[in-house]
Amino acid sequence: MTSTANRSATSGAQTSVAAELLAAHDAQVRATVAARMPLTWTSHPDGRVLRVTTTHRAFVFSDGLAGASDEEVEGYVRRARDFFAERNEAVEWKYYSNDHPRLRGLLEEAGFAPEDEESVVVGRVRDVLDAGRVPEGITIRPVSDRPDLDRIAAMESEVWSQDWSWLADDLADRVAGSPDDIAVLVAEADGAVVAAAWLVVMPGTRFGGLWGGSTLARWRGRGIYRALIAERARIAQAKGLEFLQVDASEDSRPILERLGMFKVATTTPYVWTPQAS
């Protein structure tokens, strides 16, 4: 077989794996949001669309709306916007690249504005168990007490140059509501939090979400991110999970792909705000 044929065969196999992982993600992750929400989230169903209010930002999730007519999709979008307009509340519609072909345009027509696109990256737990070793001088440990969660929120606030104090409440609610379904890890150097990440188990599925993964700028490039992936993969394996999923930035996506995970789609937050209207 020629090198060109080899590359073609490899590409075809990768495409097949990515399609299989996307199908598993859509069937398990996207289809089970209502059954695995934190205690502080409240659902407001509308057929194939789920509107959710939280203590931080409201969300809209859908099943992708495949097969729906343009008029049906427009109705879902309009009703979601009007629902949150009556509440004078901003809302994020979580849009995926494999959703109904008219959905993106209808969201924009309704006043939803796109934020930064992320890659939906999925892989098997077994493939990232050895993603990276803990760097010298770094300690990784699980945490659940409120002081540690506040320290994580402070670190995230520094990373993103925004007030992320709400994150401590969100993590505390998840730990209190379903402690077996979340594992929060901090990476410390000389007792200071330099990175944090958490594994969120999705009940009723074989998936775990790799959330967080932020590192202070001066500590990047040392392998902390990969070490946190490996540690969460080992926790996921102990819990009997098969897949891991990440909504990855362009900083993280290449690392994850090198570790054997696959970009299966993109996701874009479409945000409507009362001020924008």
Side-chain angles (χ1 to χ4, degrees), residues 60-124:
V60 177
F61 302 95
S62 81
D63 63 3
L65 302 177
S69 68
D70 290 357
E71 292 75 17
E72 289 172 320
V73 177
E74 190 278 334
Y76 282 123
V77 171
R78 174 176 43 78
R79 289 193 298 274
R81 179 200 61 199
D82 293 349
F83 176 82
F84 289 102
E86 291 177 3
R87 299 171 63 94
N88 196 37
E89 187 174 357
V91 59
E92 172 189 325
W93 186 301
K94 195 162 180 63
Y95 168 83
Y96 290 85
S97 55
N98 60 322
D99 282 352
H100 191 283
R102 284 283 289 129
L103 178 56
R104 182 192 294 267
L106 290 168
L107 286 169
E108 293 177 354
E109 290 172 15
F112 287 78
E115 295 188 341
D116 292 342
E117 180 182 276
E118 294 181 313
S119 296
V120 181
V121 179
V122 180
R124 288 184 167 80

Side-chain angles (χ1 to χ4, degrees), residues 141-145 148-149 151-152 175 183-186 188:
R141 65 183 180 93
V143 298
S144 58
D145 294 338
D148 284 318
L149 303 183
R151 294 168 70 221
I152 291 173
V175 170
V184 183
L185 303 178
V186 294
E188 295 170 309

Side-chain angles (χ1 to χ4, degrees), residues 147-163:
D148 284 318
L149 303 183
D150 286 330
R151 294 168 70 221
I152 291 173
M155 184 274 299
E156 296 279 0
S157 296
E158 181 177 345
V159 167
W160 299 105
S161 299
Q162 297 177 3
D163 180 9

Side-chain angles (χ1 to χ4, degrees), residues 6 21 45 48 53 56 114 124 135 182 210 227 237 252 267 275:
N6 280 326
L21 294 173
R48 297 170 65 181
T53 53
H56 176 54
R124 288 184 167 80
I182 185 168
L210 298 183
Q237 184 183 55
S252 302
T267 182
Q275 296 85 351

Side-chain angles (χ1 to χ4, degrees), residues 121-152:
V121 179
V122 180
R124 288 184 167 80
V125 170
R126 66 174 185 252
D127 293 333
V128 293
L129 290 170
D130 298 317
R133 298 179 179 179
V134 180
E136 185 177 352
I138 299 294
T139 301
I140 293 178
R141 65 183 180 93
V143 298
S144 58
D145 294 338
R146 182 59 190 242
D148 284 318
L149 303 183
D150 286 330
R151 294 168 70 221
I152 291 173

Side-chain angles (χ1 to χ4, degrees), residues 2 18 29 35 39 51 66 82 85 89 123 127 141 146 164 169 178 187 198 201 228 245 250 260:
T2 67
V29 177
L39 295 177
R51 303 184 294 243
D82 293 349
E89 187 174 357
D127 293 333
R141 65 183 180 93
R146 182 59 190 242
W164 277 53
D169 291 332
S178 190
W198 40 102
V201 178
L228 286 167
Q245 181 262 326
E250 280 307 289

